[in-house]
Amino acid sequence: MTMLATTNNAHAGNFSSLSHTSVVATGSRMVGPDILRSLAILLVMLVHLPLNATPGILVTMREYGWLGVDIFFVLSGYLIGTQLFKEVTRTGAVDFKSFYLRRAFRIFPAFFVVLGLYALVPILRDSPTMQPLWKFATFTVNLGFDPRAGNAFSQAWTLAVEEQFYLVLPLLVLFLYKRIGTGRVLGLAGLLTLAGIVLRYAVWDIQVGTLVAEGQFRPAFATYLRDVYYPTYTRLDGLLFGVVLAAARFFKPELCMQYLPPKVTIPSGLILVIAALICFVDRGPLAGQGIFPVFQAQLGAVAGFPLISIGIALLFCAMLDLEHVLSRWPVPGAALVATLSYSLYLTHKSVFHVMRLIFGEENLQGTGGFVAYLIGSFAVAAVLWFCVERTFLHLRDRMLSSSK
């Protein structure tokens, strides 16, 4: 596409993507993505933390911990998009074998180890029942995911969304390369965003709204999760705007510098995030009865996701521009949390559950319980990282380097 064809390759290296491979290979990290990745996983863990072990100062934040998922989506879209843009600009093609091999070595080993433990050792399950194993193994667990039919290892729905998206993204990048210009790319992104808004509105109006009108709030909330919150086709906003941000910074860096400096992206990003949070004041039909709470719930489901995604993308853009400032005052522990984030994501719910079984929930309350849950989660995640993740990342790097 024109946007790609007019790229100055001198700018390409300025926006190289961050991955765990780069951490292993070079020992260097970008501070901004580390901070976002750390914040995302800590928010996700906070959502699943037992309420009686949640410090008072975090109780309110816990209600919005689901934001961690949207941060992950934006970050992933940006990082993978940048990798693909670098390759297609350099070679004019996408090495599908290398791309999918990298994704497989990055995702599969730790995921299938944890899934195997869930399958073979039922006591580790954070809920008595779970979705069929084949849905996890094929990364389709988010489609038709009714939490009433099994909720163990439920966090895997986000990974399913990403994996399905990454099946399509390389094909899109290759197809659009040199075919359409900047305006049409932005138009396509806008069209996809509008389609998501219309689809969520239709699903809510036809399925969720009917149950709400009948006063069936618990079935309505489960339907909302199954048909609005979990499916890939209703949750593409974060990944989409992550990719758009990657394209803008990679192919049009001079325009980003001119029109999207931190003095613009920080306030506008904050305004959009706050607007989205207002939409999500009542997150679902369980939040209350009456017209106003239900309207707020619908407004969040329909418009909240694109608002929060654009806001996060703008704030991330500012962090990338301010990397030289952030690197002078790195957040203590951010690199460690970011490194362990995938292992933490896979294991934290099971760790919380097992700790309650071993020590008793009554002994895991207050600040002591909070600290204990954190220590247990990070200890298990570190084992998974060192024994599985790092091992296969090194193996991947050796395989790919030997094939060149």
Side-chain angles (χ1 to χ4, degrees):
M1 52 186 163
T2 305
M3 179 175 68
L4 300 176
T6 59
T7 300
N8 183 345
N9 286 337
H11 293 295
N14 295 333
F15 306 109
S16 61
S17 61
L18 173 71
S19 68
H20 286 275
T21 305
S22 64
V23 174
V24 173
T26 67
S28 62
R29 308 186 67 104
M30 291 180 65
V31 177
D34 271 356
I35 292 174
L36 271 189
R37 194 187 299 274
S38 301
L39 177 61
I41 187 57
L42 291 176
L43 285 172
V44 169
M45 292 172 66
L46 184 62
V47 170
H48 300 136
L49 187 70
L51 184 59
N52 54 20
T54 303
I57 194 174
L58 298 178
V59 170
T60 300
M61 188 182 298
R62 185 176 184 270
E63 295 300 315
Y64 297 95
W66 51 270
L67 279 171
V69 169
D70 298 273
I71 295 173
F72 267 133
F73 283 161
V74 172
L75 187 59
S76 295
Y78 173 82
L79 297 176
I80 299 300
T82 302
Q83 290 177 12
L84 289 170
F85 296 148
K86 285 180 61 180
E87 181 179 5
V88 79
T89 301
R90 186 179 65 253
T91 67
V94 173
D95 187 341
F96 291 97
K97 178 181 178 181
S98 175
F99 176 80
Y100 290 121
L101 187 64
R102 285 182 176 278
R103 297 308 302 162
F105 270 85
R106 176 72 191 92
I107 298 299
F108 290 176
F111 174 77
F112 281 106
V113 165
V114 175
L115 180 61
L117 290 173
Y118 265 88
L120 299 174
V121 190
I123 197 172
L124 297 178
R125 297 177 185 175
D126 50 275
S127 182
T129 56
M130 63 188 298
Q131 302 293 314
L133 288 175
W134 67 266
K135 284 195 168 186
F136 289 97
T138 56
F139 297 96
T140 57
V141 69
N142 67 312
L143 303 177
F145 183 0
D146 190 333
R148 294 169 295 184
N151 203 36
F153 204 22
S154 61
Q155 70 268 34
W157 76 269
T158 61
L159 188 58
V161 171
E162 292 200 20
E163 291 303 290
Q164 292 166 34
F165 181 72
Y166 295 144
L167 280 176
V168 178
L169 184 60
L171 295 171
L172 282 176
V173 170
L174 185 60
F175 176 75
L176 296 177
Y177 180 62
K178 291 185 178 180
R179 284 185 170 87
I180 64 175
T182 305
R184 291 187 178 182
V185 168
L186 294 176
L188 177 61
L191 183 62
L192 290 173
T193 302
L194 180 61
I197 290 173
V198 172
L199 181 58
R200 287 190 295 271
Y201 177 83
V203 171
W204 183 288
D205 193 53
I206 296 171
Q207 297 176 243
V208 181
T210 301
L211 294 170
V212 171
E214 296 172 353
Q216 301 183 50
F217 293 103
R218 289 190 178 276
F221 186 65
T223 302
Y224 160 75
L225 291 175
R226 184 192 67 197
D227 298 334
V228 176
Y229 192 72
Y230 291 142
T232 305
Y233 44 82
T234 56
R235 295 304 310 275
L236 286 174
D237 303 275
L239 290 161
L240 173 64
F241 286 107
V243 173
V244 169
L245 175 62
R249 292 185 63 88
F250 191 89
F251 298 117
K252 298 292 182 180
E254 68 287 347
L255 293 181
C256 282
M257 291 175 63
Q258 182 177 356
Y259 295 108
L260 294 175
K263 65 181 181 181
V264 172
T265 52
I266 291 176
S268 57
L270 287 174
I271 289 171
L272 289 173
V273 169
I274 292 170
L277 293 180
I278 292 173
C279 292
F280 281 109
V281 166
D282 291 301
R283 285 173 45 223
L286 281 178
Q289 302 182 27
I291 296 176
F292 186 60
V294 170
F295 170 75
Q296 282 185 306
Q298 184 178 20
L299 184 61
V302 173
F305 294 126
L307 285 177
I308 201 74
S309 298
I310 299 173
I312 292 169
L314 288 172
L315 292 174
F316 184 33
C317 183
M319 295 176 76
L320 292 170
D321 286 330
L322 296 173
E323 177 68 23
H324 63 287
V325 177
L326 295 175
S327 62
R328 298 174 189 169
W329 297 285
V331 178
L336 173 63
V337 177
T339 299
L340 297 179
S341 60
Y342 183 48
S343 289
L344 283 167
Y345 158 83
L346 292 173
T347 60
H348 73 276
K349 286 185 68 179
S350 181
V351 171
F352 291 170
H353 167 68
V354 171
M355 290 186 68
R356 289 196 296 271
L357 291 180
I358 295 175
F359 300 107
E361 190 168 5
E362 67 280 2
N363 297 316
L364 292 169
Q365 301 190 25
T367 304
F370 177 73
V371 173
Y373 282 123
L374 284 184
I375 292 175
S377 299
F378 276 88
V380 172
V383 171
L384 185 62
W385 158 254
F386 281 107
C387 295
V388 181
E389 278 197 76
R390 190 178 68 161
T391 300
F392 280 90
L393 288 175
H394 283 154
L395 177 61
R396 179 189 71 179
D397 292 342
R398 288 197 297 271
M399 287 181 59
L400 291 176
S401 62
S402 64
S403 64
K404 293 181 179 179

